[in-house]
């Protein structure tokens, strides 16, 4: 799992691959110019007998909405490009460095983590440009952690960090054929990350395998729990897995076929599949938007106050910046979500309080009641529709997904590659109650192993256009 053959040699190899491959997919917006020096220092530590942990010398990419000392943190916006973050790492980045990881660079994202305008295209930002899917260059890499997902799929690093509010880790994980863990909100510190919503935001690992993601999760949480220790074989005897149907299935025939096969593989591992269940609709879109809009204004303005003087400090100032730079910032979509958030009246507003309660009940009560009533260890669903064609004019065309209930609840979700539809990767999500990561990792690893035994290694991208 760790890098025992020289961090500097591996970083040099990956930097060479970046120069060759990244121009095709545009996943990395800011390489770390000091990565090779940092890697050489870690090699010296290893030679002297100091190994910080299992990920000593492992290169990691970090999403460009997470503060990293010495590198820009832009959230994809030109408004933050010339306004440095604090001269310190976000807590999760400090944990990466303390564990001996090498910061390889920053990954592009959907600007403002895809909460600025309703007709946005995932993977586009004014600062970083457009990230493309390595499996089909004219198709979406998903959002908002598009660069992290595409980079891992393209072999630019085995380990990356994404962030999620609703689908922003599990979506690009599914579309790019990698593993993504969206942990329980609060398990990883959120300080130093450009926010949308304190009740839904979390960082999480994006990697090639479940075991790698589990090892990275241990570092990110600063936990004594060795999550990778739960990656042990395929025996799922005495495990009960629920399958909510309804709107979580049926939006993509090819995806349904791959997901039905996944249920057969889980059953072959000994799991009891409790099928044809249902989750309540997770509240109206209006309640969800009210929560995000209210929290965005409060949380984002608190974050902006930590930045260097001279840049925007309020949502109104960001809106004005975008208007002043409309030829670039507003070229493809607007900022009506920003404008809506700017008009909210704080977290004591009765509108916010009511919407938050509705959303919370829909998420937590829906998941917890389903688990309790059916004596389930976890639930599984198809992750996301296959990658849609990039359309900067009209925005994303997402047919369906499995992320909303877990997002509203603040509960964990893991996306694991389950197969392909017409050559496009798709994934299966494992979800559960708060802090059930140990169980979900065990199930996800068993499924991953069974799928590889049955089908062989997941296909690698060819970096071509899809017909």
């Amino acid at each position: 799992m760790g890098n025992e053959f020289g961090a500097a040699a591996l970083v040099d190899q990956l930097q060479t691959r970046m120069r060759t491959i990244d121009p095709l997919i545009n996943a990395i917006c800011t390489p770390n110019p000091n990565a090779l020096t940092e890697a050489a220092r870690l090699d010296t530590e290893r030679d002297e007998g100091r190994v910080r942990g299992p990920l000593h010398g492992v290169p990691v990419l970090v999403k460009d909405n997470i503060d990293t000392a010495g590198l820009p943190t832009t959230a994809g916006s030109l408004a933050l490009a010339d306004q440095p973050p604090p001269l310190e790492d976000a807590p999760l980045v400090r944990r990466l460095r303390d564990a001996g990881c090498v910061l390889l660079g920053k990954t592009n994202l959907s600007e403002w983590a895809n909460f600025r305008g309703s007709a946005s295209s995932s993977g586009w930002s004014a600062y970083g440009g457009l990230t493309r899917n390595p499996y089909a260059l004219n198709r979406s890499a998903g959002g908002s952690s598009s660069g992290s997902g595409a980079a891992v799929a393209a072999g630019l690093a085995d380990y990356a960090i994404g962030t999620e509010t609703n689908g922003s880790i599990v979506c690009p994980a599914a579309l790019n054929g990698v593993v993504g863990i969206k942990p329980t909100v609060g398990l990883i510190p959120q300080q130093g990350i450009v926010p949308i919503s304190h009740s839904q935001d979390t960082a999480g690992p994006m990697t090639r395998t479940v075991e790698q993601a589990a090892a990275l999760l241990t570092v990110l949480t600063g936990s004594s729990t060795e999550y990778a220790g739960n990656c042990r074989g395929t025996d799922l005897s005495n495990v009960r897995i629920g399958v909510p149907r309804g709107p979580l299935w049926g939006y993509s025939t090819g995806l349904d076929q791959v997901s039905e096969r996944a249920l057969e593989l889980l059953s072959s591992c000994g799991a009891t599949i409790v099928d044809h269940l249902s989750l309540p609709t997770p509240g109206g879109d209006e309640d969800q938007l009210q929560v995000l809009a209210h929290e965005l204004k409060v949380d984002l303005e608190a974050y902006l106050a930590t930045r260097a003087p001279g840049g925007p400090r309020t949502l109104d100032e960001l809106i004005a910046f975008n208007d002043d730079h409309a030829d670039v910032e507003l070229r493809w979509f607007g900022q009506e979500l920003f404008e809506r958030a700017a008009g909210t009246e704080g977290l004591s507003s009765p509108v916010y309080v009511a919407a938050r309660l509705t959303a919370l009940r829909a998420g937590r009560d829906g998941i917890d009641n389903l688990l309790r009533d059916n004596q389930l260890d976890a639930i599984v669903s198809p992750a996301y529709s296959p990658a849609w064609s990039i359309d900067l004019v009209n925005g994303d065309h997402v047919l369906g997904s499995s992320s909303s209930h877990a997002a509203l609840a603040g509960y964990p979700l893991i996306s694991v590659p389950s197969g392909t539809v017409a050559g496009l990767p798709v994934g299966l999500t494992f979800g559960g109650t708060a802090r059930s990561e140990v169980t979900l990792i065990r199930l996800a690893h068993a499924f991953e192993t069974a799928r590889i035994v049955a089908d062989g290694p997941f296909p690698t991208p060819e970096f071509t256009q899809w017909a």
Side-chain angles (χ1 to χ4, degrees), residues 247 251-252 385-386 388 397-401:
Y251 52 82
S252 167
S385 55
W388 49 91
H397 181 59
V398 185
L399 297 178
S401 71

Side-chain angles (χ1 to χ4, degrees), residues 396-410:
D396 289 338
H397 181 59
V398 185
L399 297 178
S401 71
S402 64
S403 60
S404 288
H405 287 86
L408 296 176

Side-chain angles (χ1 to χ4, degrees), residues 122-138:
S122 291
W124 180 89
S125 72
Y127 177 78
L130 176 66
T131 297
R132 297 177 179 274
N133 192 313
Y135 285 86
L137 298 177
N138 56 340

